[in-house]
Amino acid sequence: MGTSHSNVAFLFSLDELEHAVVKLMRGLLFCMMRQAPKVEQFKTTQALNDCLHAKYNTATGDTVVGDSEWGHLQIDATSIFLLALAQMTASGMLIVYTTDEVDFIQNLVFYIERAYRTPDYGIWERGNKINHGEPELNSSSIGMAVAALQAINGINLFGSRGGPSSVSTFRNASEQWQWRSPL
């Protein structure tokens, strides 16, 4: 049986899509890696002005809004990046190329594991329910952080062709990330 022309076109489209997704994920990784000092600082302070920015210039990778001009602390956004990275890597896609990238991703794991119980601006980017710009605990952020931490636990970021470099969170992630009231 031969392959029809439409099947070849479909497979080519899937290959193009995969390459576009890898380019997107690497672009986001590049933007976040440029803020590595903020990730380090936030792990200590958990101050709103020390968190990763959530908006980037798509041409340059630069941040587009100042530290205090917008609600950047969105644990769900960083978490969904890690979740997608883990799922894509597990499916065989190669997104991470260097040990520096592995080290930074490990740092993102530490970033969200310290912050997932921290009030943030969440998926709605609004702060508290009255919308005064004050962060609050958001179930979307907590749930996304838990999912990301469980998904990336033990993933070898170099994929099946990789060596011993992997992201490891805790030995027993399911016990560690259970909801505990911050009160």
Side-chain angles (χ1 to χ4, degrees):
M1 285 176 75
T3 305
S4 73
H5 179 69
S6 62
N7 287 344
V8 171
F10 177 72
L11 291 174
F12 182 70
S13 296
L14 286 178
D15 193 45
E16 284 181 316
L17 177 61
E18 181 175 325
H19 288 293
V21 168
V22 168
K23 186 176 178 182
L24 166 81
M25 293 295 287
R26 289 197 53 75
L28 286 170
L29 180 58
F30 171 76
C31 292
M32 287 186 274
M33 285 182 73
R34 293 177 70 181
Q35 297 182 66
K38 290 181 84 58
V39 172
E40 278 300 319
Q41 187 67 24
F42 183 81
K43 288 185 329 186
T44 303
T45 67
Q46 293 187 329
L48 295 177
N49 286 342
D50 293 335
C51 66
L52 275 173
H53 280 230
K55 292 183 176 186
Y56 307 101
N57 180 308
T58 57
T60 66
D62 293 334
T63 58
V64 295
V65 181
D67 287 347
S68 59
E69 296 173 19
W70 193 71
H72 291 291
L73 182 55
Q74 295 184 21
I75 301 304
D76 53 348
T78 305
S79 298
I80 199 165
F81 172 81
L82 290 172
L83 176 62
L85 178 67
Q87 291 175 338
M88 290 176 195
T89 301
S91 78
M93 294 175 75
L94 184 59
I95 297 168
V96 175
Y97 298 163
T98 69
T99 54
D100 287 341
E101 292 169 354
V102 170
D103 292 344
F104 180 76
I105 292 163
Q106 178 66 66
N107 219 9
L108 286 181
V109 169
F110 295 146
Y111 177 87
I112 67 168
E113 81 181 18
R114 292 276 325 257
Y116 86 99
R117 293 186 208 152
T118 302
D120 73 341
Y121 293 99
I123 196 169
W124 303 112
E125 304 174 349
R126 68 179 193 171
N128 70 15
K129 290 173 180 53
I130 303 171
N131 202 9
H132 290 292
E134 294 297 318
E136 66 181 345
L137 282 176
N138 287 286
S139 59
S140 61
S141 296
I142 295 166
M144 192 55 65
V146 170
L149 291 168
Q150 289 175 341
I152 205 159
N153 190 27
I155 290 286
N156 187 324
L157 292 172
F158 293 134
S160 61
R161 292 167 265 162
S165 297
S166 67
V167 171
S168 225
T169 48
F170 283 106
R171 234 186 312 269
N172 192 344
S174 61
E175 284 182 20
Q176 177 62 28
W177 294 294
Q178 291 180 8
W179 170 252
R180 292 181 195 99
S181 173
L183 304 175

